[in-house]
């Protein structure tokens, strides 16, 4: 057919462990179809390949040689990849983690769209939510991105709680230099900080099918708190169920996964995708 090959085409991939059920490839491919571009999204599953993060240098070299335009990066490679890249965006540098790599003219630039995913989801679904005092549970890789997003959204006082105090301190130290002093701190007394909070964010894996439970006792929830979640498998976690039963405003973790994807797509292609296509595709893949 004439003109078939004049469409821009892109080859991208996802590197990580246990990514067989990832919704990212179908979301990207559906958005590309809607935008009228050719787009092939390959899963490079370290579990299936029986490899660990130590294989990253080889995989990146192969991706470059095979003409990949970009890569998404997930667990356990988001930090291991840092020294292997030619350049980091300011956001990736601030967070010390990369989830998106753009490959241009043989150069690899690392970006972090996780924080954007959380912020965009919050902006769309929590308009007018009070941002005075917020308590975040979890200080892992996702936790750093979520904390960065919350401070960018305008949270005045962010308290980070993690069972590993050193991890919480490391997120606080990493972000303190970039925001007004005193806006982010480590917390330990859950009861006290929850009582004074406007909102609660779960950035831990607690609530996933394999880590059942809630990050804080549900007795500490109250109707005037808002609750945000990053877990999206299942979409309704025990925390969200308890919060909704009380009448709290809530936002689930699906949007973070969707909007980190829309921003990665834009970085890969230079085209802003239709977010509704991402939303619809995500929903069609089950809750």
């Amino acid at each position: 057919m004439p003109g078939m090959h004049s469409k821009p085409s892109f080859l991208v991939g996802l590197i990580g462990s246990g990514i067989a059920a990832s919704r990212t490839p179908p979301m990207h491919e559906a958005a590309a179809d809607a935008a009228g571009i050719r787009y092939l999204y390959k899963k490079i599953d370290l579990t299936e390949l029986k490899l660990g993060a130590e294989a990253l240098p080889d995989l990146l070299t192969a991706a470059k040689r095979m003409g990949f335009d970009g890569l998404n990066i997930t667990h356990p490679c988001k930090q291991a990849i840092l020294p292997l890249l030619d350049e980091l965006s300011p956001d990736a540098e601030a967070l010390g983690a990369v989830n998106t790599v753009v490959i241009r003219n043989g150069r690899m630039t690392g970006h972090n769209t996780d924080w954007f995913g959380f912020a965009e989801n919050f902006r769309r679904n929590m308009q007018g939510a009070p941002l005075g005092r917020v308590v975040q549970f979890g200080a892992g890789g996702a936790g750093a991105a979520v904390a960065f997003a919350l401070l960018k959204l305008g949270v005045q006082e962010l308290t980070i709680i993690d069972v590993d105090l050193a991890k919480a301190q490391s997120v606080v130290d990493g972000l303190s230099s970039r925001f007004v002093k005193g806006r982010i701190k480590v917390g330990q007394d859950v009861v006290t900080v929850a009582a004074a909070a406007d909102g609660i964010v779960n950035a831990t894996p607690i609530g996933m099918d394999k880590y059942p439970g809630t990050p804080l006792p549900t007795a500490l929830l109250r109707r005037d708190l808002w609750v945000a979640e990053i877990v999206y498998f299942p979409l309704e976690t025990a925390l969200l169920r308890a919060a909704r039963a009380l009448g709290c405003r809530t936002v689930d973790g699906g949007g973070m996964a969707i909007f980190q994807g829309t921003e990665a797509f834009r970085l890969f292609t230079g085209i802003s995708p239709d977010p509704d296509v991402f939303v619809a595709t995500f929903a069609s893949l089950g809750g």
Side-chain angles (χ1 to χ4, degrees), residues 184-275:
I184 179 168
K185 59 181 197 207
V186 176
Q188 284 177 275
D189 182 351
V190 177
V191 176
T192 307
V193 293
D198 295 308
I200 300 278
V201 181
N202 178 35
T204 75
I206 298 168
M208 289 171 72
D209 291 334
K210 52 183 177 183
Y211 303 108
T214 55
L216 78 163
T218 54
L220 297 179
L221 297 174
R222 47 176 212 282
R223 187 188 166 81
D224 63 330
L225 268 176
W226 55 258
V227 177
E229 179 66 90
I230 72 161
V231 170
Y232 65 87
F233 213 70
L235 216 41
E236 178 160 86
T237 58
L239 175 65
L240 289 186
R241 201 159 39 249
R244 284 170 183 159
L246 284 172
C248 302
R249 278 186 78 180
T250 61
V251 60
D252 67 45
M256 182 175 177
I258 288 164
F259 295 112
Q260 65 77 23
T262 62
E263 182 64 1
F265 185 98
R266 188 187 68 76
L267 289 167
F268 292 150
T269 64
I271 296 164
S272 291
D274 179 350

Side-chain angles (χ1 to χ4, degrees), residues 1-7 36 38:
M1 280 168 63
M4 255 312 267
H5 297 290
S6 59
K7 282 184 184 179
R38 302 170 64 175

Side-chain angles (χ1 to χ4, degrees), residues 72-95:
N72 278 130
I73 307 295
T74 189
H75 179 78
C77 303
K78 287 183 180 184
Q79 279 145 338
I81 198 169
L82 294 170
L84 307 172
L85 300 171
D86 299 301
E87 204 178 327
L88 292 177
S89 73
D91 296 345
E93 204 168 340
L95 292 167

